[in-house]
Amino acid sequence: MGPQGYEVDQKGRVVVPINSFSDGDPSAWPQHSNCVETDATVYLEKLGMQWMKERGEFQQGKTYILDQLPDGYVYWARPRQSRPELVDKFLWGHPSGKYFFSPNRFWPHFLYLMNGGSEPCECEHCGSVRKVSTSRGLPASTQRRPGRASGISRSALNDRIGLKQPGPSKRTRRKKFLAVDAEGNQNVFKELIYQLKADGTLERPVLEESNMDWRAERKLLKNHFTRVRMQHSFFPRLGELVLWYAEPPNGEIKFHWQTQTYQVYSAKEKKFVGIPTWYGGVVTQVPEEPLNLHDAIVETKKGYALNRSGFRIELFPDPNSSNKNMSTQYKYIPLSQIRPLSFWSIYLQGVNTTDFHPSIAHALTITSSFSMLDKYYFEGVWPNASVLCKGVYLGAELLIPGDAVRLMPLDRDGEININRKVTDVLVIDTIEFRLMECDANLQSPLLSQSTTARLLGKVYTLDPKLAFDRSTPLTDSEVTKSFDCTGMREYGLWYLRHEPDKVTEVSLDYVIGRCFESEYMDIMFENVVLDLDLVGVRDARLFGRDADERIAPGKEWFCGDNRLEQLGLESINGIEHSRYDDSRDPRMYRAIMNIINDEAVDADHRDSKIVRQLGRAHEGLIGSRSGYTTFDSAGKHSSMVATALGGEAATPYVNTELVEIDEAEDGDAGSSREIAPSTDSGDELVVVPMHKRQRRH
């Protein structure tokens, strides 16, 4: 026997018996065939500990577990529609028919049950149940809907004031979508594919007007892209993975020839002060103050404090582990203490791999993954389609149209050969996410059988042997016009690789990374070349393909639906996101969007949880009601009007009317849409010249 006379199970947990009182209703359990009962240990342990604390019997060092859930309650698991390998779990059985997301949300109702229902329940679902029971228990005279004096019918009242009896009002029905995702939101891409199959060809902007996340991102993304285009290419971008160090803070990173390592050099002490401890981190905030090339060399004085003039970097946790505690550690760092992750093998040379901080290996794990940013246009010819995007996170970096990216060197057979010199650069014009063999079945969680990402643009080369016209290099003005990146002339003479009216399509396998300004390369390495990090990028991707457990067997890339899923993060800037956010309420978000889009029904005003003004209803307010006449509206709150019309005083208004819902919704908390089950592998990646298409914005 354990403490307080309770039994102890085989795992040493104190088994706490519960009371027999319960309001659990098995008829409220889900009827979906894909729902199955699952292990409820997480609820039993969490509630057992909280209940013992509530009773004052909790002992430190002891683990408690309930002997069972209250009768009528069951813990169900349901695979996601978009990603069946992921399972969402909820507790069902509440009389309202709603479910609980977590033990913390069920705790108020559990405490109500353990107290025998002696006091009103304060849980999130019991308000509507009390409202129903209160309404049903009222006398018939008080349940009558107020608004006119008792004894006067609607038709009689209209006759007195000279109005005709209106016809029966049409009930507004909630808008239904052809396809929804796991949260109950409109699955725009599934509907576009369905329409593509019906029409054969389709070109249409991607609009997710009913999705609050999409609407909230519009202005932020526009400002973000504008800001990124105005920055130097070596500036870290939001969401990128970088190398960074914290100590020693004052100094400049230089190569120490005697030890063959990169160390911090103190200009004040005129000596090297040691090898810094490098970390892998994700950029979660960027400076508000403009920076320049000098800031990348040494920390300079700024008008703002470091939390506004520096970068907020969070340590990067293991993407394969559920433990994300490392991401809670962050620091504000000046630009001089940050380096692109692609240079990891250079700055860490001479350092034993066993001395690497764990975040370095974690960051290298995701180098063989990618995710698309801001899908804005859909086009296709059945059964294939393309989604145009405004950015792609390739491993550690963010690439956008206008960026110049270095391409892997190829041998005569078109295979990657890292022993050759890097000479080619592609200036991105279009970023495409392609769906091959699309699946138009609305019940299927997949959009297509396979996916791939492609970059399209003009390719320039330093090798005249590969040029379209080896006798005519680009002039200085043509170089300036062709590249957004400054100082490209310092790399050498540039030639157009193909015909001027064509563009080249490349796979992500052939991309090394962004091309940095020649001044930056000269200052950092005293070597203006394109392939300084070639071996490091190749080794990082090989490591990632072995270490990233999310890459499917036989594949070489992992495709995340968004950047946070690609990084395997649960929070950023200390804020939990999507399915990890307990406060996320998809039903409330949809209701608010319906109100904004002027498509709301009565249930949306309730689900939106918008606090409405009490008292006399006003035209134009959310949730307001207008009567057939001005007097009719006033009569709902004034006995004087009813008396003047010859009737009895109006009965005081009792808000006991139930709001009917046309369509039940089950909004699952936090999930992401999976585009396709697989991505392309290296054997199908080709470089094919093609005619240039007009970019759509």
Side-chain angles (χ1 to χ4, degrees):
M1 300 293 288
Q4 298 94 11
Y6 298 132
E7 295 183 357
V8 178
D9 65 7
Q10 296 179 351
K11 295 184 178 181
R13 299 173 296 189
V14 179
V15 181
V16 182
I18 65 173
N19 299 337
S20 59
F21 178 80
S22 178
D23 61 356
D25 184 4
S27 65
W29 296 356
Q31 303 300 319
H32 305 292
S33 59
N34 61 343
C35 292
V36 294
E37 188 173 357
T38 188
D39 182 22
T41 300
V42 62
Y43 272 79
L44 298 176
E45 289 185 345
K46 189 71 175 288
L47 294 173
M49 180 187 67
Q50 289 180 290
W51 195 28
M52 294 300 285
K53 288 182 178 180
E54 178 72 19
R55 296 159 59 179
E57 301 179 15
F58 178 79
Q59 294 184 6
Q60 195 68 31
K62 297 291 183 181
T63 302
Y64 297 90
I65 185 171
L66 300 180
D67 61 344
Q68 66 176 55
L69 289 172
D71 290 339
Y73 284 86
V74 64
Y75 194 40
W76 287 89
R78 180 176 63 187
R80 295 186 182 178
Q81 182 181 6
S82 58
R83 297 187 63 184
E85 69 274 14
L86 298 180
V87 178
D88 293 318
K89 301 176 182 180
F90 308 101
L91 185 71
W92 295 82
H94 193 275
S96 67
K98 301 178 181 179
Y99 51 77
F100 292 96
F101 289 103
S102 65
N104 288 338
R105 293 195 174 189
F106 181 58
W107 165 247
H109 193 75
F110 175 80
L111 188 60
Y112 159 78
L113 298 179
M114 294 303 100
N115 292 332
S118 58
E119 297 180 358
C121 178
E122 300 298 331
C123 81
E124 58 186 351
H125 298 328
C126 274
S128 59
V129 176
R130 290 198 303 272
K131 188 174 180 179
V132 173
S133 60
T134 302
S135 173
R136 292 175 179 174
L138 289 175
S141 60
T142 62
Q143 290 191 42
R144 177 180 52 81
R145 179 176 176 176
R148 60 181 180 274
S150 59
I152 299 181
S153 66
R154 167 68 65 185
S155 59
L157 183 60
N158 286 334
D159 289 341
R160 289 192 179 189
I161 60 178
L163 287 181
K164 295 182 179 180
Q165 178 71 18
S169 60
K170 293 185 178 180
R171 186 179 183 185
T172 304
R173 300 188 63 84
R174 175 170 288 148
K175 183 178 180 180
K176 295 184 178 180
F177 302 115
L178 283 176
V180 296
D181 59 18
E183 281 192 341
N185 298 320
Q186 180 185 13
N187 192 335
V188 173
F189 292 98
K190 195 67 176 179
E191 293 185 358
L192 288 172
I193 290 175
Y194 183 83
Q195 188 67 38
L196 173 63
K197 183 178 181 180
D199 297 346
T201 61
L202 186 66
E203 293 188 12
R204 187 171 299 175
V206 176
L207 302 175
E208 301 184 60
E209 298 290 350
S210 62
N211 190 313
M212 177 172 282
D213 295 328
W214 184 87
R215 288 283 288 268
E217 293 170 351
R218 294 306 91 204
K219 185 175 181 179
L220 295 175
L221 280 175
K222 181 180 179 181
N223 294 338
H224 177 62
F225 285 127
T226 300
R227 183 171 184 173
V228 169
R229 292 188 185 99
M230 297 174 63
Q231 294 175 341
H232 293 296
S233 62
F234 61 83
F235 278 14
R237 298 173 177 178
L238 198 64
E240 289 190 335
L241 293 181
V242 295
L243 280 176
W244 64 279
Y245 70 93
E247 300 292 340
N250 298 319
E252 178 183 349
I253 293 291
K254 287 187 175 183
F255 188 70
H256 192 279
W257 289 96
Q258 294 180 354
T259 61
Q260 294 291 297
T261 58
Y262 276 89
Q263 299 187 21
V264 177
Y265 179 81
S266 174
K268 183 177 181 180
E269 301 179 18
K270 296 183 179 180
K271 67 175 183 179
F272 287 94
V273 294
I275 301 175
T277 300
W278 291 97
Y279 303 92
V282 57
V283 179
T284 60
Q285 290 180 22
V286 294
E288 299 180 14
E289 189 170 351
L291 304 177
N292 53 44
L293 180 61
H294 189 61
D295 293 304
I297 306 170
V298 64
E299 184 177 2
T300 61
K301 291 184 179 181
K302 295 295 178 183
Y304 295 113
L306 192 58
N307 63 344
R308 296 183 64 183
S309 63
F311 294 81
R312 186 183 189 273
I313 311 293
E314 293 181 2
L315 276 180
F316 189 62
D318 186 357
N320 295 323
S321 173
S322 59
N323 185 355
K324 306 297 181 182
N325 293 336
M326 190 176 290
S327 66
T328 62
Q329 305 175 47
Y330 68 92
K331 194 173 183 65
Y332 286 94
I333 298 295
L335 179 60
S336 59
Q337 295 174 216
I338 301 174
R339 295 294 184 271
L341 184 64
S342 61
F343 294 130
W344 70 275
S345 61
I346 297 176
Y347 286 106
L348 288 168
Q349 62 179 301
V351 180
N352 196 310
T353 55
T354 58
D355 296 329
F356 286 7
H357 190 269
S359 60
I360 299 294
H362 298 164
L364 298 180
T365 300
I366 62 93
T367 50
S368 284
S369 65
F370 69 94
S371 61
M372 313 309 293
L373 179 62
D374 196 12
K375 309 175 184 73
Y376 69 93
Y377 199 84
F378 180 94
E379 60 183 15
V381 178
W382 182 259
N384 301 322
S386 296
V387 181
L388 305 187
C389 308
K390 293 185 179 179
V392 55
Y393 279 102
L394 174 58
E397 294 184 353
L398 169 63
L399 306 178
I400 64 173
D403 282 340
V405 295
R406 295 163 292 140
L407 301 180
M408 292 282 186
L410 306 177
D411 57 22
R412 294 182 178 180
D413 297 327
E415 299 294 332
I416 296 176
N417 185 352
I418 64 170
N419 295 320
R420 298 175 67 92
K421 187 177 180 180
V422 175
T423 59
D424 294 355
V425 168
L426 178 139
V427 178
I428 301 176
D429 179 75
T430 306
I431 300 174
E432 288 190 7
F433 185 61
R434 294 184 178 172
L435 310 173
M436 281 81 71
E437 298 297 327
C438 294
D439 185 354
N441 182 4
L442 296 177
Q443 305 304 319
S444 172
L446 304 178
L447 295 183
S448 64
Q449 296 301 317
S450 60
T451 64
T452 184
R454 292 290 187 265
L455 305 181
L456 288 79
K458 290 188 175 182
V459 175
Y460 301 89
T461 182
L462 294 172
D463 187 353
K465 297 179 181 179
L466 302 176
F468 170 70
D469 183 0
R470 65 180 63 184
S471 63
T472 310
L474 299 182
T475 63
D476 289 346
S477 61
E478 288 175 332
V479 170
T480 302
K481 184 178 179 180
S482 301
F483 298 99
D484 290 344
C485 184
T486 61
M488 293 297 289
R489 171 59 79 187
E490 303 303 321
Y491 282 100
L493 295 177
W494 290 99
Y495 300 84
L496 192 60
R497 179 73 186 268
H498 47 71
E499 298 178 28
D501 60 342
K502 292 184 179 180
V503 296
T504 297
E505 164 192 328
V506 300
S507 165
L508 300 183
D509 263 317
Y510 291 92
V511 178
I512 301 174
R514 286 201 304 272
C515 184
F516 301 118
E517 284 79 2
S518 57
E519 294 89 344
Y520 179 81
M521 298 296 295
D522 186 31
I523 291 175
M524 293 298 171
F525 307 107
E526 298 181 357
N527 193 2
V528 183
V529 293
L530 297 174
D531 50 11
L532 205 59
D533 57 347
L534 174 60
V535 175
V537 171
R538 190 277 311 267
D539 292 345
R541 289 181 183 171
L542 292 177
F543 174 82
R545 285 164 186 169
D546 290 335
D548 196 337
E549 299 174 358
R550 303 170 299 174
I551 299 179
K555 302 298 179 181
E556 297 183 347
W557 293 90
F558 168 74
C559 175
D561 189 51
N562 52 63
R563 180 58 168 173
L564 292 182
E565 183 181 73
Q566 179 190 357
L567 298 179
L569 292 177
E570 297 179 359
S571 64
I572 192 166
N573 284 328
I575 302 175
E576 295 177 333
H577 73 91
S578 65
R579 63 189 179 95
Y580 302 103
D581 183 9
D582 287 339
S583 64
R584 184 175 176 85
D585 190 342
R587 176 177 290 186
M588 181 185 72
Y589 297 161
R590 286 193 297 274
I592 293 175
M593 293 311 303
N594 288 337
I595 294 174
I596 293 176
N597 296 333
D598 197 23
E599 299 174 349
V601 298
D602 289 343
D604 290 322
H605 297 298
R606 180 201 64 193
D607 293 340
S608 67
K609 301 180 182 179
I610 297 176
V611 179
R612 289 180 279 176
Q613 181 177 348
L614 300 178
R616 188 185 302 274
H618 296 278
E619 292 289 343
L621 290 179
I622 295 177
S624 65
R625 298 178 180 177
S626 58
Y628 298 116
T629 69
T630 304
F631 288 114
D632 180 59
S633 178
K636 294 181 180 180
H637 301 278
S638 174
S639 60
M640 178 185 68
V641 175
T643 304
L645 293 174
E648 299 178 6
T651 305
Y653 185 79
V654 181
N655 187 14
T656 59
E657 181 185 7
L658 300 181
V659 179
E660 297 183 3
I661 305 176
D662 287 311
E663 176 185 347
E665 295 182 278
D666 292 333
D668 297 343
S671 70
S672 56
R673 179 174 56 243
E674 176 71 9
I675 299 298
S678 62
T679 58
D680 53 0
S681 57
D683 55 359
E684 61 180 24
L685 304 174
V686 295
V687 181
V688 181
M690 60 182 295
H691 290 283
K692 182 176 180 181
R693 293 183 298 177
Q694 184 177 1
R695 189 197 310 176
R696 298 179 175 85
H697 297 282

